[in-house]
């Protein structure tokens, strides 16, 4: 009876959210070296022609600065022409933290980009983040460095509705599909084929107020392989730095099975896990769902576009 009840609850959630839920099958991109084994990276949301090269974006007028320090792949300290120090968060992107897989590499890539000439900061509609840092596009020698970091796989795009939002998002798709930077199968030191684990369904905007229906917001993850997969310490995350769900110690997803990760609280089972977040996790304005192994290797990714 418990299994029947769980199935009925899930079916009801899917039906009531039909206008906001998307069912899809995650295509697999095969990346193979000429002499090496085939590696499988699940991904979705194919890029469109709106993805552009960082070098084709004309540098608009802005403030020339001297970069005093690079903190990580998306933040730095700058000195303005007036002699003031300005802490800057690069607009529209999120790079791995220094203690995360590919964090040091992302920081070094940003440092290398700054060797190309005078740095220019350009503001958009969003002027500051929640920590009071200035949100800016960074241009060096006419290149939009924010976009360049996304294209090289050293940062992922954050969908906030900024002016270059679509170009950033589509460029992030291309970087993931071609296994660049943080998206590479061996980025975190692993080797061999990735587990056949995929994001297969989700609801990001349940009926009613999101905050009142946290368990109506969920992500379905499937083991599309035949072998059981131990997922202890794996992470489910979004585009931000804050939202991370760690799979419980000892959790196993059997071959052919799915597990729903609900945003609210509840009792874990083999088919349902609970994030127990106090606020909604998945943005109604668009987000990226990422599943990572415990070492940080990206196993599955899906980007969806919402509405602002």
């Amino acid at each position: 009876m418990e299994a029947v009840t769980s199935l009925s609850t899930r079916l009801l959630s899917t039906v009531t959210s039909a206008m906001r839920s998307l069912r899809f099958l995650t295509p697999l991109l095969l990346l193979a070296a000429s002499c090496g084994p085939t590696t499988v990276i699940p991904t979705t949301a194919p890029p469109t022609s709106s993805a552009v090269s960082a070098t084709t974006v004309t540098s608009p007028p802005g403030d020339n600065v001297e970069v005093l320090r690079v903190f990580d792949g998306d933040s730095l300290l700058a000195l303005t022409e007036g002699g003031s120090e300005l802490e800057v968060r690069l607009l529209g992107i999120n790079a791995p933290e220094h203690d995360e897989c590919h964090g040091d590499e992302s920081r070094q890539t940003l440092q290398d980009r700054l060797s190309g000439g005078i740095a220019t900061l350009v503001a958009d509609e969003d002027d500051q983040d929640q920590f009071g840092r200035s949100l800016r596009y960074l241009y060096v020698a006419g290149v939009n460095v924010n976009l360049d970091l996304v294209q090289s796989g050293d940062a992922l795009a954050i969908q906030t509705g900024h002016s270059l939002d679509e170009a950033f998002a589509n460029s992030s798709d291309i970087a993931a599909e071609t296994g660049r930077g943080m998206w590479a199968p061996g980025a975190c030191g692993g080797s061999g084929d990735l587990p056949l684990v995929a994001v297969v369904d989700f609801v990001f905007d349940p009926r009613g107020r999101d905050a009142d229906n946290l368990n109506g917001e969920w992500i379905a993850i499937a083991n599309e392989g035949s072998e059981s997969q131990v997922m202890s310490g794996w992470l489910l995350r979004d585009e931000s730095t804050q939202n991370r769900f760690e799979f419980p110690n000892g959790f196993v997803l059997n071959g052919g099975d799915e597990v729903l990760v609900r945003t609210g609280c509840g009792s874990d089972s083999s088919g349902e896990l609970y994030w127990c977040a106090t606020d909604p996790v998945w943005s109604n304005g668009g987000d990226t769902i990422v599943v990572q192994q415990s070492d940080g290797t990206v196993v599955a990714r899906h980007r969806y576009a919402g509405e602002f």
Side-chain angles (χ1 to χ4, degrees):
M1 289 300 293
E2 180 180 352
V4 173
T5 301
S6 177
L7 178 59
S8 299
T9 301
R10 180 180 168 187
L11 289 174
L12 179 59
S13 174
T14 303
V15 170
T16 57
S17 304
M19 296 303 293
R20 302 177 179 91
S21 176
L22 171 67
R23 186 70 183 179
F24 55 90
L25 294 176
T26 307
L28 305 177
L29 176 68
L30 301 180
L31 299 176
S34 59
C35 300
T38 299
T39 303
V40 180
I41 298 182
T43 186
T44 53
T48 70
S49 58
S50 60
V52 297
S53 168
T55 58
T56 66
V57 179
T58 303
S59 176
D63 300 315
N64 293 336
V65 298
E66 176 188 353
V67 176
L68 301 177
R69 181 182 176 188
V70 173
F71 297 119
D72 52 31
D74 57 31
S75 62
L76 53 87
L77 183 66
L79 182 66
T80 69
E81 290 182 322
S84 300
E85 291 188 354
L86 187 68
E87 190 169 352
V88 177
R89 177 69 155 78
L90 299 188
L91 176 63
I93 70 172
N94 184 24
E97 299 299 305
H98 68 89
D99 58 348
E100 294 180 323
C101 170
H102 204 72
D104 291 339
E105 291 84 352
S106 292
R107 181 186 180 281
Q108 187 60 52
T109 299
L110 176 55
Q111 185 74 59
D112 292 343
R113 297 296 187 272
L114 292 168
S115 64
I118 296 175
T120 303
L121 297 176
V122 178
D124 198 65
E125 293 182 5
D126 293 329
D127 187 63
Q128 288 189 331
D129 67 4
Q130 67 269 37
F131 304 110
R133 297 177 296 184
S134 297
L135 290 169
R136 296 290 189 272
Y137 296 123
L138 174 66
Y139 288 85
V140 175
V143 173
N144 185 309
V145 175
N146 309 44
L147 179 56
D148 194 37
L149 291 167
V150 171
Q151 291 175 333
S152 63
D154 289 291
L156 57 80
I158 303 176
Q159 299 172 81
T160 63
H162 62 91
S163 298
L164 298 176
D165 190 276
E166 186 176 1
F168 278 37
N170 286 314
S171 293
S172 192
D173 289 341
I174 294 172
E177 291 177 357
T178 53
R180 301 176 191 170
M182 72 173 74
W183 309 111
C188 305
S191 61
D193 292 348
L194 297 178
L196 296 178
V197 172
V199 176
V200 293
D201 203 359
F202 61 92
V203 172
F204 64 86
D205 187 14
R207 174 171 292 184
R209 291 183 67 252
D210 290 359
D212 296 333
N213 189 14
L214 292 180
N215 281 333
E217 183 181 272
W218 49 262
I219 306 295
I221 299 170
N223 181 355
E224 297 182 332
S226 58
E227 298 182 1
S228 297
Q229 181 63 55
V230 178
M231 298 176 67
S232 302
W234 284 34
L235 294 178
L236 171 64
R237 57 162 293 187
D238 69 348
E239 294 173 356
S240 75
T241 301
Q242 293 80 24
N243 293 322
R244 301 286 190 276
F245 170 79
E246 183 172 337
F247 285 81
N249 186 39
F251 179 77
V252 176
L253 188 59
N254 293 324
D257 285 355
E258 296 182 11
V259 60
L260 263 66
V261 180
R262 296 188 181 275
T263 298
C265 296
S267 299
D268 291 343
S269 66
S270 60
E272 290 187 334
L273 297 175
Y274 292 85
W275 195 308
C276 211
T278 56
D279 296 299
V281 170
W282 306 105
S283 173
N284 294 346
D287 215 331
T288 304
I289 305 164
V290 181
V291 181
Q292 297 174 289
Q293 292 177 299
S294 55
D295 64 358
T297 300
V298 176
V299 175
R301 172 190 180 274
H302 177 78
R303 177 179 66 83
Y304 65 86
E307 296 181 358
F308 287 97

